Amino acid sequence: MAPLVVHVTGARPNFPKAAPVLAALGEQPVEQLLVHTGQHYDDKMSDVFFRQLGIPKPDVNLGVGSGSHGRQTAKVMEALEELFEDRRPDMVIVYGDVNSTVAAALVASKMGIAIAHVEAGLRSFDMTMPEEINRLVTDVLCDVLWTPSPDADANLAAEGIPSVRVTRVGNIMMDSFELIRPQLDAEAAAARLNMKAGGYGIVTLHRPANVDDAQQLATIVDALCTAQSLLPLVFPVHPRTRQRLAAAHLDERLAQAGVLLLEPLSYKPFMSLLKDARLAITDSGGLQEETTYLGIPCLTMRENTERPITISEGTNRLTSPAGLLADIRTSLGNDAPRPVRPQYWDGATAGRCVDDLRARRG
Ligand code: UD1
């Protein structure tokens, strides 16, 4: 019988990571089962990514929805334990650093099921970030750690994780990007929004540290309103951020200043818009990588990043609410940087994951 591999996905950033791995493993003699935990459930946060990336419909949707961290993680664990008991997978593959990732790793490890982690080894060294806790716990439990960059290898080594568990495969997000790149010109997202290529900035914010504190959010909004006169801004708003902006009436302030507020964008329009942007302002993880790959300056609204290679080799700079405006001015005063391709950020990462699994089976 073919071995059964279960992929566990749940939140928006998981989907572009899983798509290439599902496709590459689909060509191997394995049975695959795709689980969606339901952590994200809006069409714009979930289903549309499946359609655009050609991901098959999930075989199972656990429907856990939103909730506190404990409740959300527990609901995923409870449902997965039942599923794994029923299906007895040979391997579970988990992605990134969301609550669904750590929940799956905890359940599978206690059941003695082998686990592989795509995007292992990233560390912000900031334990106030829920994702940092998820990353640490997930990596310590996984049997196969697929890392995107040398800094990730070094982090795992420093934590005493045996090197036999670690294989550097590169950045899986670039596989998804290369998959849809040929379709991006036809998408013409900038033109549809009446924006000129190279003449606008793109903003995304959703981290609790930025959006859950009303004062912090107001400072960011003030900077964005002033920056709008230097560079037109497009801001696709995450549901968490939408709630926080509305509660403080800050959405009105942004709209009055001319900032273009949009619903969350799906993968293709977002990448089309990003590719032609002059600047990105974000607290997303993936965007720090994509801007580096595309040669677009990125101001990351965080005190740290688990993706330091995007600073040391790429186009990323950390910023703060108070420093944002000055950093935007500096960035606009500089020439546009060139695209940077760290080793193995080349669209062939999923193939290296499959090669690694075959090598490990001997
Ligand atoms: C989660 C991940 C974060 C990732 C982000 C991308 C964790 C700890 N965090 O954060 O790492 O960068 O996804 O989006 O796993 N909501 C909706 N519709 C949805 C999903 C969420 O309206 O489809 C709203 C709900 O009010 C929910 C809130 O957004 O309470 C936050 O959702 P949640 O899944 O808890 O975390 P994110 O902030 O999305």
Side-chain angles (χ1 to χ4, degrees), residues 231-283:
L231 184 74
L233 297 176
V234 183
F235 186 174
V237 187
H238 185 283
R240 172 193 282 275
T241 312
R242 171 80 60 187
Q243 291 164 13
R244 303 294 189 253
L245 286 172
H249 303 290
L250 292 167
D251 45 353
E252 293 158 18
R253 220 193 289 173
L254 284 165
Q256 271 162 16
V259 175
L260 187 55
L261 297 178
L262 304 175
E263 290 293 307
L265 286 177
S266 59
Y267 189 60
K268 268 198 259 177
F270 189 83
M271 285 302 148
S272 168
L273 200 60
L274 181 64
K275 160 179 96 58
D276 291 329
R278 174 68 183 87
L279 174 70
I281 300 161
T282 192
D283 58 12

Side-chain angles (χ1 to χ4, degrees), residues 11-13 39-42 45 66-67 69 72 97-100 130-131 134 206-207 238-240 243:
R12 182 169 66 175
Q39 177 174 344
H40 284 174
Y41 42 84
D42 287 349
M45 300 296 286
S66 303
H69 284 266
Q72 191 175 56
D97 56 13
V98 303
N99 286 345
S100 301
E131 293 83 359
N134 294 345
H206 74 281
R207 300 259 168 226
H238 185 283
R240 172 193 282 275
Q243 291 164 13

Side-chain angles (χ1 to χ4, degrees), residues 6-346:
V6 174
H7 302 258
V8 180
T9 62
R12 182 169 66 175
N14 289 162
F15 310 133
K17 292 175 189 141
V21 181
L22 276 154
L25 264 181
E27 292 168 13
Q28 301 299 315
V30 295
E31 188 192 345
Q32 303 199 80
L33 187 90
L34 175 58
V35 177
H36 188 323
T37 65
Q39 177 174 344
H40 284 174
Y41 42 84
D42 287 349
D43 183 70
K44 290 190 169 68
M45 300 296 286
S46 174
D47 299 12
V48 67
F49 285 80
F50 282 71
R51 296 196 291 276
Q52 292 184 357
L53 288 160
I55 309 175
K57 207 169 140 19
D59 299 288
V60 181
N61 192 320
L62 306 179
V64 301
S66 303
S68 67
H69 284 266
R71 177 178 287 261
Q72 191 175 56
T73 309
K75 278 173 135 182
V76 176
M77 288 179 69
E78 206 175 346
L80 279 181
E81 189 172 55
E82 221 171 276
L83 180 77
F84 293 168
E85 253 160 24
D86 183 36
R87 297 301 305 263
R88 294 271 149 200
D90 296 283
M91 171 166 261
V92 171
I93 304 186
V94 299
Y95 298 87
D97 56 13
V98 303
N99 286 345
S100 301
T101 311
V102 71
L106 276 164
V107 173
S109 61
K110 291 202 177 180
M111 296 178 76
I113 302 166
I115 321 166
H117 183 202
V118 176
E119 199 188 81
L122 300 187
R123 298 289 181 269
S124 65
F125 303 99
D126 176 358
M127 290 297 278
T128 66
M129 279 182 87
E131 293 83 359
E132 182 71 356
I133 300 169
N134 294 345
R135 289 188 280 260
L136 276 163
V137 175
T138 301
D139 284 341
V140 84
L141 299 176
C142 285
D143 304 273
V144 179
L145 297 159
W146 286 322
T147 62
S149 46
D151 52 283
D153 300 352
N155 291 335
L156 294 171
E159 288 165 19
I161 290 183
S163 62
V164 290
R165 283 162 54 189
V166 182
T167 304
R168 191 180 332 146
V169 292
N171 193 322
I172 196 73
M173 295 292 281
M174 306 312 144
D175 287 35
S176 278
F177 180 76
E178 290 302 335
L179 199 78
I180 52 116
R181 190 200 278 268
Q183 302 165 41
L184 292 186
D185 283 337
E187 192 69 34
R192 284 187 210 203
L193 297 172
N194 292 321
M195 295 285 167
K196 272 207 233 79
Y200 60 91
I202 189 161
V203 181
T204 82
L205 295 167
H206 74 281
R207 300 259 168 226
N210 286 323
V211 305
D212 286 5
D213 176 332
Q215 189 52 50
Q216 186 89 338
L217 190 58
T219 310
I220 296 172
V221 164
D222 280 344
L224 293 177
C225 289
T226 311
Q228 169 70 21
S229 60
L230 306 171
L231 184 74
L233 297 176
V234 183
F235 186 174
V237 187
H238 185 283
R240 172 193 282 275
T241 312
R242 171 80 60 187
Q243 291 164 13
R244 303 294 189 253
L245 286 172
H249 303 290
L250 292 167
D251 45 353
E252 293 158 18
R253 220 193 289 173
L254 284 165
Q256 271 162 16
V259 175
L260 187 55
L261 297 178
L262 304 175
E263 290 293 307
L265 286 177
S266 59
Y267 189 60
K268 268 198 259 177
F270 189 83
M271 285 302 148
S272 168
L273 200 60
L274 181 64
K275 160 179 96 58
D276 291 329
R278 174 68 183 87
L279 174 70
I281 300 161
T282 192
D283 58 12
S284 145
L287 211 50
Q288 297 172 51
E289 301 171 337
E290 288 153 345
T291 46
T292 278
Y293 192 69
L294 290 167
I296 292 162
C298 182
L299 295 175
T300 296
M301 185 73 67
R302 285 182 38 193
E303 288 172 2
N304 47 56
T305 176
E306 61 289 329
R307 292 161 163 93
I309 198 166
T310 61
I311 295 179
S312 59
E313 292 189 23
T315 62
N316 189 18
R317 302 289 172 266
L318 299 181
T319 188
S320 63
L324 177 60
L325 195 57
D327 288 338
I328 292 173
R329 284 187 209 279
T330 306
S331 182
L332 294 178
N334 294 337
D335 290 338
R338 290 151 62 98
V340 181
R341 308 277 153 93
Q343 194 196 18
Y344 296 157
W345 293 30
D346 58 2

